[in-house]
Amino acid sequence: MELVAIQINAGSDWEANRSRLAGLLLQLPSQRPLLVLLPENVAVFGCKNAIQQAAEPLGDGPIQDQFSQWARDHGIWLVVGSMPTRIEGSARFHATSLVYNELGERVAYYHKLHLFDVDVSDEQGRYRESDSYAPGEELCVVDSPFGRLGLSICYDLRFPQVYSELRAKGADILLVPAAFTRVTGQAHWQPLLQARAIENQCYVLAAGLYGEQGARQTWGHSMIISPWGEIERCLPKGEGLISTPIDTERLADIRRQMPVAQHARFSAVRRNK
């Protein structure tokens, strides 16, 4: 069983992004089963007009059909980091992560909980995701051949409570698709990812956008991190993919030898037992 993170420089044109993704998917390892994570905003990344044009009702639309077809054609579990989905009666959208199995069936989805409304010392300066998006309300953990997958998106990474709750719900692999800015990514991306892996004794599979999208600069540095906090693979720059086998026996050994979930005095894991 292999974990794969794909890194891409996505823009506001879905057709251009689709062409680049199709080429990257042809580079996948031959092993199966394969879990493939795409970055946040992988369908479109741009202004509100681009988001409006690409947004689809959850479960219905040509962009979602394409992701389903790719999962089926390549025989992979495919996790779309995020794409905009419509909210009935609202001018805003959800940033939605979609999980497809190897048959192309959508088996789970997750609406991003935490919206990036911050000021950053880069060329764009001001980020207000809440202008276009509404926050989700629920966590999601889904069964898979690789273990239980805990879903999150980008800015969620700064909220450790999210991941302790995912661990309490049985997560073995924490998925972190992202479009971290270059400034915040250089400062915090790697230590946050390693902390979430170590705290929760989970694999972390993180796929990032990379490059320049107008005034915005994204950090890349897609990573796969072990439950012990080791960086097993990293792609600092450019487009491409990284992969590594998942070692379920080592995951179990780490949790058995240092049972932090059982030792925690103030813990979501303890509350849910």
Side-chain angles (χ1 to χ4, degrees):
M1 295 187 294
E2 293 254 342
L3 306 178
V4 176
I6 286 182
Q7 184 163 291
I8 190 172
N9 184 356
S12 60
D13 182 352
W14 158 242
E15 293 299 332
N17 297 336
R18 180 170 68 171
S19 178
R20 298 169 96 151
L21 279 169
L24 288 167
L25 289 168
L26 292 176
Q27 301 175 31
L28 289 172
S30 59
Q31 296 92 336
R32 297 294 184 273
L34 204 63
L35 174 64
V36 179
L37 177 64
L38 305 179
E40 181 186 26
N41 297 317
V42 69
V44 290
F45 189 47
C47 63
K48 190 166 186 177
N49 184 57
I51 294 169
Q52 289 174 330
Q53 292 181 358
E56 298 176 346
L58 182 62
D60 181 24
I63 296 178
Q64 292 169 87
D65 288 345
Q66 178 64 85
F67 288 127
S68 172
Q69 182 179 335
W70 276 332
R72 183 171 60 252
D73 289 350
H74 292 282
I76 58 175
W77 276 66
L78 180 66
V79 182
V80 179
S82 80
M83 66 167 286
T85 58
R86 294 177 189 160
I87 304 171
E88 186 174 357
S90 175
R92 293 193 295 171
F93 309 94
H94 282 309
T96 304
S97 186
L98 305 165
V99 183
Y100 296 93
N101 66 17
E102 76 280 4
L103 302 178
E105 301 165 333
R106 195 196 77 213
V107 296
Y109 68 89
Y110 163 72
H111 300 316
K112 185 177 183 179
L113 284 176
H114 297 95
L115 301 180
F116 192 60
D117 286 0
V118 304
D119 298 320
V120 176
S121 56
D122 62 8
E123 292 183 16
Q124 179 157 322
R126 185 176 188 269
Y127 295 83
R128 295 294 183 270
E129 279 190 333
S130 62
D131 288 346
S132 299
Y133 292 101
E137 299 293 338
E138 297 181 356
L139 295 172
C140 179
V141 176
V142 58
D143 290 323
S144 81
F146 314 89
R148 303 204 77 204
L149 311 178
L151 305 187
S152 68
I153 301 174
C154 199
Y155 192 46
D156 289 334
L157 183 61
R158 293 186 179 272
F159 300 89
Q161 305 92 330
V162 169
Y163 299 90
S164 61
E165 291 286 350
L166 292 173
R167 174 70 177 89
K169 293 178 181 294
D172 301 305
I173 305 171
L174 303 174
L175 305 185
V176 189
F180 253 60
T181 73
R182 188 173 297 175
V183 170
T184 57
Q186 186 173 19
H188 299 145
W189 172 247
Q190 179 178 320
L192 285 171
L193 291 173
Q194 288 181 288
R196 300 300 163 256
I198 295 166
E199 291 164 350
N200 298 290
Q201 298 178 316
C202 288
Y203 276 94
V204 169
L205 180 60
L209 288 189
Y210 173 78
E212 298 186 1
Q213 302 87 13
R216 184 160 178 174
Q217 301 168 317
T218 47
W219 179 235
H221 289 75
S222 298
M223 293 186 184
I224 304 173
I225 300 176
S226 79
W228 194 244
E230 304 147 316
I231 299 173
E232 298 200 349
R233 298 288 185 274
C234 178
L235 180 60
K237 301 179 180 180
E239 296 186 322
L241 58 84
I242 52 175
S243 66
T244 191
I246 183 170
D247 188 340
T248 55
E249 290 186 6
R250 184 164 187 241
L251 172 65
D253 284 344
I254 288 170
R255 292 178 175 182
R256 177 180 54 80
Q257 293 167 3
M258 189 180 291
V260 294
Q262 286 71 45
H263 292 162
R265 301 286 300 277
F266 301 94
S267 165
V269 174
R270 193 176 183 89
R271 287 199 312 273
N272 283 272
K273 283 194 174 295

